[in-house]
Amino acid sequence: PIEINQANAISVKFANMGVDILTNMTLNWTCNGVAQPAVNWSGNLSLGNTDVVKLGDVTQTHAGYVNIEVWISNINNSNDMNNNDDTLSMSEIVCNGPLAGGYYTVGTSPSATYETVKEVFDVLNTCGINDNVTFAFENGIYNEQIFLDNVIQGTSDSAIITITSVSGNASDVQFIGNENAVLLNNTGYIQFKNVTIGLEDTTKVKIAVKLSG
């Protein structure tokens, strides 16, 4: 498992699935969409045999997704004739205990802690909280449903989840859904401030915010 604020070694295991002996190739990889230094491998790998190569180290500074993608190129100094089996990907939510209380920005700017509604609530469901947390969304329209069907671990009268906008203007952040923009079932200790909640199709009778349980 990947630990927060530590150098985590990332390695990949691969196999030769071709009839020719594998003697060299390049392993390319990204972490959270950022290209990492490629690794050149050389050896003597026959059909069905495997090897393990360390790609490098990854340091995750906060709870959230770690997305690793690895693909190979320049196989035996030539192009791969079968691209269907040359890429691996891994996605894992990392948290060392409950999410610390504080203010977290959500959006696409370089300074944002999280990028999507889904990531925010995946982190909450996986990690829980231990104090009041605020998720401030950058300006934009978020076409993702906010869905909770359980009480987030650690929430209480003194540990509340707040969903708000960075600007403080409700019109700047819009959560737009299809059947429901917000669906809360058997949960609590969550509040919305300075955001707009709406539906894609306002000509039909639907419920923007649905509470049950």
Side-chain angles (χ1 to χ4, degrees), residues 78-126:
S78 63
N79 295 326
D80 188 2
M81 301 303 294
N82 180 11
N83 293 321
N84 295 321
D85 60 355
D86 65 357
T87 302
L88 294 173
S89 60
M90 181 208 76
S91 184
E92 176 183 341
I93 296 178
V94 176
C95 54
N96 294 354
L99 184 66
Y103 182 94
Y104 301 91
T105 55
V106 186
T108 57
S109 73
S111 61
T113 308
Y114 302 109
E115 186 173 349
T116 65
V117 171
K118 182 180 186 302
E119 185 178 14
V120 168
F121 285 90
D122 283 350
V123 168
L124 288 172
N125 278 306
T126 302

Side-chain angles (χ1 to χ4, degrees), residues 135-174:
F135 296 97
F137 283 75
E138 296 174 346
N139 293 2
I141 298 174
Y142 295 82
N143 294 301
E144 299 179 80
Q145 184 187 61
I146 295 176
F147 173 59
L148 278 177
D149 64 352
N150 62 284
V151 176
I152 298 298
Q153 184 176 358
T155 54
S156 67
D157 291 336
S158 58
I160 294 174
I161 301 164
T162 299
I163 305 295
T164 189
S165 57
V166 171
S167 68
N169 297 318
S171 60
D172 289 340
V173 173
Q174 301 179 45

Side-chain angles (χ1 to χ4, degrees), residues 20 60 63 81 129 190 194:
D20 293 334
Q60 178 78 354
M81 301 303 294
I129 64 175
I190 181 171
N194 301 320

Side-chain angles (χ1 to χ4, degrees), residues 42-55:
S42 62
N44 194 295
L45 210 61
S46 57
L47 174 63
N49 288 327
T50 63
D51 197 4
V52 176
V53 173
K54 179 182 176 181
L55 300 174

Side-chain angles (χ1 to χ4, degrees), residues 178-204:
N178 186 10
E179 293 295 330
N180 311 115
V182 177
L183 176 57
L184 304 178
N185 181 42
N186 294 318
T187 191
Y189 306 111
I190 181 171
Q191 60 183 353
F192 296 83
K193 293 182 176 181
N194 301 320
V195 298
T196 298
I197 299 172
L199 296 170
E200 293 178 355
D201 186 356
T202 58
T203 64
K204 298 180 180 180

